[in-house]
Amino acid sequence: MRLAFFGDVVGKAGRKALEEHLPYLRRDLSLDFVVVNAENSAGGFGVTETIARDLFDYGADCLTLGNHSWDQRDALTYITREDRLLRPCNYPPSVEAPGKGANLYTLADGRRVAVISVLGRLYMDSLDDPFQAVERELNALPLGMVADAVIVDVHAEATSEKMAMGHFCDGRASLVVGTHTHIPTADAQILPGGTAYQTDAGMCGDYDSVIGMKKDGSVKRFATRLPTERMGPAEGPGTACGVMIETDDKTGLAVRVDPIRVGGRLKEIIPE
């Protein structure tokens, strides 16, 4: 099976990058299933129903969220009606967060892909233990038994926490990939147990920016520590960044992993 994951979509530039590139990437790479992190797609803050539907039209099969899950009010109700939209799985049960943090999707040919979204703890708004939450979901959706492939989106600030999650899931997931920090890392690899891993997929957005936001205001905040106008997404040409894997149909484990970068300012990488 061929699967792809695209990192945080930041504003209109990120949406346009996916609109332009995802349809032909899906065709040319023979992708069976595509996951997109959409949590910055609405002006940099959350996702709306209209934008989610557009991303599905571009070729996404599942959308994941993160610490901006509820920035747009209609996400709270849309997620209860759309099981292809996932929020982090480690909300405390007492919160009764709407929607799901993991789900199983059946392809037209009968193969099944599980997607798990989880929020890290280090330097983030603290939820329940992400490792125990992922353990629970992996036990409910075991690779090679219930699911033919398992993708875990680790939305976290610290690279150490993401790498720890990769090793924690090794041999039990097809792909563990990080989001949130918006910069594509150069460590795409297959871990010893057969799980593909990349610390951060990178964002889909304008890289002439500060992690997708207009650079002038961001630089001023860092340089002066003075308040500035509300930050907004950079609006130049966007790069679509992600990772593609190929799995062994018998085990669901990865046999290949490649980064994807297309459009915009970054050097292009398109798997053959």
Side-chain angles (χ1 to χ4, degrees), residues 150-228:
V150 175
I151 297 173
V152 181
D153 174 3
V154 189
H155 198 77
E157 189 77 44
T159 55
S160 57
E161 189 174 25
K162 296 179 189 180
M163 295 188 82
M165 184 64 76
H167 291 294
F168 181 76
C169 297
D170 190 19
R172 300 188 292 166
S174 309
L175 170 67
V176 175
V177 60
T179 54
H180 179 66
T181 47
H182 292 197
I183 303 300
T185 56
D187 62 338
Q189 60 184 294
I190 298 176
L191 300 176
T195 295
Y197 173 81
Q198 185 169 325
T199 297
D200 199 285
M203 69 175 177
C204 297
D206 178 8
Y207 278 83
D208 185 19
S209 65
V210 175
I211 61 169
M213 307 306 277
K214 292 177 181 178
K215 58 188 178 183
D216 291 344
S218 296
V219 170
K220 184 177 180 181
R221 284 192 181 193
F222 279 112
T224 69
R225 306 304 298 168
L226 295 174
T228 62

Side-chain angles (χ1 to χ4, degrees), residues 62-65 69-70 79 82-91 97-105 114-119 133-134 136-138 141 151-154:
C62 174
L63 304 178
T64 54
L65 297 172
S69 294
W70 316 122
I79 198 170
E82 178 53 81
D83 67 3
R84 296 176 295 172
L85 179 64
L86 299 178
R87 44 80 174 166
C89 67
N90 53 325
Y91 276 91
K100 298 178 180 180
N103 207 1
L104 186 68
Y105 304 96
V115 182
I116 302 169
S117 172
V118 68
L119 193 71
V134 169
R136 180 184 66 241
E137 301 299 346
L138 290 175
L141 301 164
I151 297 173
V152 181
D153 174 3
V154 189

Side-chain angles (χ1 to χ4, degrees), residues 1 63 242-243:
M1 194 182 315
L63 304 178
V243 59

Side-chain angles (χ1 to χ4, degrees), residues 19-189:
E19 180 181 16
E20 180 178 354
H21 300 296
L22 183 52
Y24 78 78
L25 286 173
R26 178 149 197 161
R27 180 192 67 236
D28 293 351
L29 298 178
S30 301
L31 298 175
D32 297 297
F33 194 86
V34 174
V35 181
V36 173
N37 185 290
E39 77 129 20
N40 300 122
S41 56
F45 302 94
V47 66
T48 66
E49 179 174 349
T50 298
I51 288 173
R53 288 183 175 183
D54 286 342
L55 295 174
F56 290 134
D57 287 344
Y58 302 157
D61 294 295
C62 174
L63 304 178
T64 54
L65 297 172
N67 59 305
H68 290 290
S69 294
W70 316 122
D71 284 7
Q72 302 297 324
R73 184 178 298 272
D74 69 346
L76 287 161
T77 55
Y78 179 55
I79 198 170
T80 64
R81 295 181 280 109
E82 178 53 81
D83 67 3
R84 296 176 295 172
L85 179 64
L86 299 178
R87 44 80 174 166
C89 67
N90 53 325
Y91 276 91
S94 59
V95 171
E96 297 183 354
K100 298 178 180 180
N103 207 1
L104 186 68
Y105 304 96
T106 303
L107 280 58
D109 61 9
R111 290 179 294 178
R112 298 159 298 179
V113 179
V115 182
I116 302 169
S117 172
V118 68
L119 193 71
R121 268 185 164 178
L122 296 179
Y123 315 115
M124 303 283 287
D125 294 334
S126 182
L127 298 180
D128 276 359
D129 182 351
F131 291 87
Q132 293 306 309
V134 169
E135 178 75 18
R136 180 184 66 241
E137 301 299 346
L138 290 175
N139 288 337
L141 301 164
L143 183 65
M145 298 175 63
V146 172
D148 298 293
V150 175
I151 297 173
V152 181
D153 174 3
V154 189
H155 198 77
E157 189 77 44
T159 55
S160 57
E161 189 174 25
K162 296 179 189 180
M163 295 188 82
M165 184 64 76
H167 291 294
F168 181 76
C169 297
D170 190 19
R172 300 188 292 166
S174 309
L175 170 67
V176 175
V177 60
T179 54
H180 179 66
T181 47
H182 292 197
I183 303 300
T185 56
D187 62 338
Q189 60 184 294

